[in-house]
Amino acid sequence: MTTILELNGVTKSYKQGQEVLTVLDHISMQVNKGEFGAILGPSGSGKSTLLSVIGALTSPSNGEVILNGRNVHTMNGKEQTSLRLKEIGFIFQQSNLIPFLTVEEQLLLVGKLIKQKERLQERALELLSHLGLAERSSHYPEQLSGGEQQRVAIARALMNEPKLILADEPTASLDRERGKSVVELLVKETKERHIATIMVTHDESMIRDCDWVYRMR
Ligand SMILES: Nc1ncnc2c1ncn2[C@@H]1O[C@H](COP(=O)(O)OP(=O)(O)OP(=O)(O)O)[C@@H](O)[C@H]1O
Ligand SMILES: [Mg+2]
């Protein structure tokens, strides 16, 4: 197995006036390629904070995050931006699609942000058809169901061929059935592409397909 992500003693504290609130307390973990893992825990336990630290959106107060052999938080801002664009795919609770772009354009936009611009449209259409969205490529987000919007968000996250997908409650706005199929799709893509996915969820029923579960208190 090849390790793609390593956390060593990750700690995150916020100063609240005189008090210090420690949200993440020495978290260490190792994630391998091909793994689909879940982070579970009650509201306020620090799940989103942990994903932000892994995704180089927030710096830890202490500890290190090693993604693909590189320490994410000793990089400069430019290197971090490039890392987020090329190596990480983000999926959030709401699909965060841009209302005035069609499904295909959503993918082309993230594709254009990186240097490798070959076969952009071809890659976008391949992904959309792979995720069962071929007939939806010229639709706007408001013309899609919630489940379809999340599938577009998955396609968009995969567009730059990331090594790691970070999904923060991707099923929270969906009903049980649609939520299940979104998770199944994420698992399938993780295995086929031999990447790693970390999903934050509240829902115990979503963890059956997981290779590991990390519980936060
Ligand atoms: N910028 C900040 N400044 C101070 N406290 C913060 C900040 N960001 C988050 N927190 C606190 O950190 C704790 C964890 O927040 P976080 O959003 O990570 O929780 P969560 O587990 O994702 O919760 P939920 O399930 O509701 O999304 C909360 O108590 C929150 O108030
Ligand atoms: Mg959260």
Side-chain angles (χ1 to χ4, degrees), residues 31-165:
V31 180
N32 296 312
K33 284 185 184 167
E35 284 182 351
F36 183 86
I39 296 174
L40 253 95
S43 184
S45 59
K47 305 180 298 295
S48 296
T49 305
L50 180 57
L51 276 200
S52 303
V53 170
I54 294 173
L57 297 167
T58 315
S59 308
S61 314
N62 239 309
E64 51 182 24
V65 176
I66 313 285
L67 176 60
N68 208 20
R70 295 166 72 207
N71 187 331
V72 166
H73 295 284
T74 55
M75 294 176 181
N76 64 34
K78 208 172 157 191
E79 291 170 322
Q80 284 186 341
T81 303
S82 158
L83 178 96
R84 286 193 293 264
L85 270 172
K86 293 181 192 160
E87 312 219 353
I88 306 175
F90 291 94
I91 302 167
F92 299 98
Q93 174 171 347
Q94 303 296 334
S95 56
N96 285 329
L97 299 175
I98 299 162
F100 52 83
L101 295 182
T102 66
V103 165
E104 185 184 339
E105 287 163 349
Q106 314 269 345
L107 271 65
L108 291 179
L109 177 66
V110 295
K112 279 179 191 149
L113 293 174
I114 63 168
K115 292 251 159 58
Q116 172 215 348
K117 293 194 173 64
E118 311 92 61
R119 299 179 54 246
L120 263 191
Q121 189 169 34
E122 206 181 325
R123 283 200 291 129
L125 293 176
E126 268 169 24
L127 257 177
L128 290 174
S129 117
H130 189 72
L131 300 199
L133 292 161
E135 262 94 78
R136 296 282 178 271
S137 63
S138 54
H139 284 57
Y140 289 91
E142 61 166 20
Q143 300 170 315
L144 304 173
S145 72
E148 286 167 343
Q149 288 179 17
Q150 276 311 49
R151 266 150 60 203
V152 175
I154 294 173
R156 183 179 59 180
L158 291 169
M159 183 65 189
N160 292 342
E161 294 163 2
K163 299 188 175 63
L164 176 68
I165 299 247

